[in-house]
Amino acid sequence: MFGRHIRTFTQGFRQRREAIDELNFTYRHLLRMLPNLHRRVGPGPAADVLAHQYEQDRSIRDRLVQVSMDHGQPPKPCVCADASALVEDVYHADRAGEDLDERNRSVVGALKALRAFLLRVWGRLLRALPEEEEPEYHRAVRDLQREEAEQHRELVRLGNDLHDPGRRSA
């Protein structure tokens, strides 16, 4: 009985560690990339959304680092193959062509995929974090996941507007 409890605890700790490291890795790369993307998309709704997303990402990452440090699992450097591939997709989408509208649609599509990935990683972190044992930690992570979900919704709305410029999202 005691051995199973230790294994479950150790496995949960490892899963939290992996998710925290992967989230930190991805947000660090986004924070380096978004200012460049903002400059390249040209003035307009896409630039406004990217500027907002940069500020939100900085806040989410700072709070992720703080809450994970407060609970004894500060982010550590890692190599995250899935996250790296998605970050590369965003980088290459920005260089997808000369037509600004098409490039903006490519960037938004790649960012949506990256944000969907981030939502899955936040979900993994929540599943590895028993709410009954760590209610404050769980609540903080859930709040951060909700903020990331809003980032994704914002990109969906922008993508819809870019595909149909006559339509305006509410």
Side-chain angles (χ1 to χ4, degrees):
M1 174 85 169
F2 183 69
R4 184 171 14 126
H5 181 71
I6 293 294
R7 277 191 306 277
T8 302
F9 177 79
T10 304
Q11 182 180 12
F13 189 86
R14 189 187 84 256
Q15 290 170 343
R16 286 191 299 273
R17 157 72 46 230
E18 289 170 1
I20 289 166
D21 292 348
E22 198 158 13
L23 289 165
N24 184 60
F25 171 90
T26 308
Y27 283 112
R28 270 184 336 144
H29 285 281
L30 268 172
L31 289 170
R32 282 198 305 252
M33 190 181 312
L34 283 173
N36 294 329
L37 291 174
H38 176 263
R39 283 190 293 276
R40 290 178 52 90
V41 298
D48 296 342
V49 166
L50 292 178
H52 179 255
Q53 294 224 338
Y54 174 81
E55 293 302 322
Q56 289 298 108
D57 284 343
R58 189 173 57 191
S59 173
I60 290 169
R61 181 180 176 268
D62 289 350
R63 290 175 27 229
L64 166 68
V65 169
Q66 187 60 53
V67 76
S68 61
M69 286 176 58
D70 289 348
H71 291 88
Q73 287 189 290
K76 295 187 179 198
C78 72
V79 176
C80 307
D82 293 339
S84 289
L86 289 163
V87 167
E88 283 292 314
D89 288 347
V90 174
Y91 177 81
H92 291 297
D94 181 41
R95 283 134 180 87
E98 295 301 315
D99 180 58
L100 182 61
D101 291 336
E102 184 58 38
R103 188 171 58 222
N104 287 352
R105 284 190 292 272
S106 294
V107 166
V108 169
L111 279 171
K112 282 192 311 189
L114 181 58
R115 297 234 178 257
F117 167 79
L118 283 167
L119 286 170
R120 289 189 300 274
V121 178
W122 282 111
R124 276 193 354 241
L125 179 54
L126 281 171
R127 285 188 301 279
L129 187 61
E131 186 173 9
E132 62 279 355
E133 293 176 26
E134 297 271 6
E136 288 180 33
Y137 194 5
H138 194 274
R139 186 174 25 261
V141 168
R142 191 179 58 235
D143 290 346
L144 290 169
Q145 182 190 40
R146 284 184 184 135
E147 288 183 39
E148 181 57 46
E150 182 52 39
Q151 297 274 77
H152 186 267
R153 283 189 291 276
E154 184 177 45
L155 287 170
V156 168
R157 289 188 298 267
L158 176 61
N160 290 340
D161 289 347
L162 291 174
H163 285 289
D164 185 5
R167 171 190 154 152
R168 294 313 262 174
S169 294

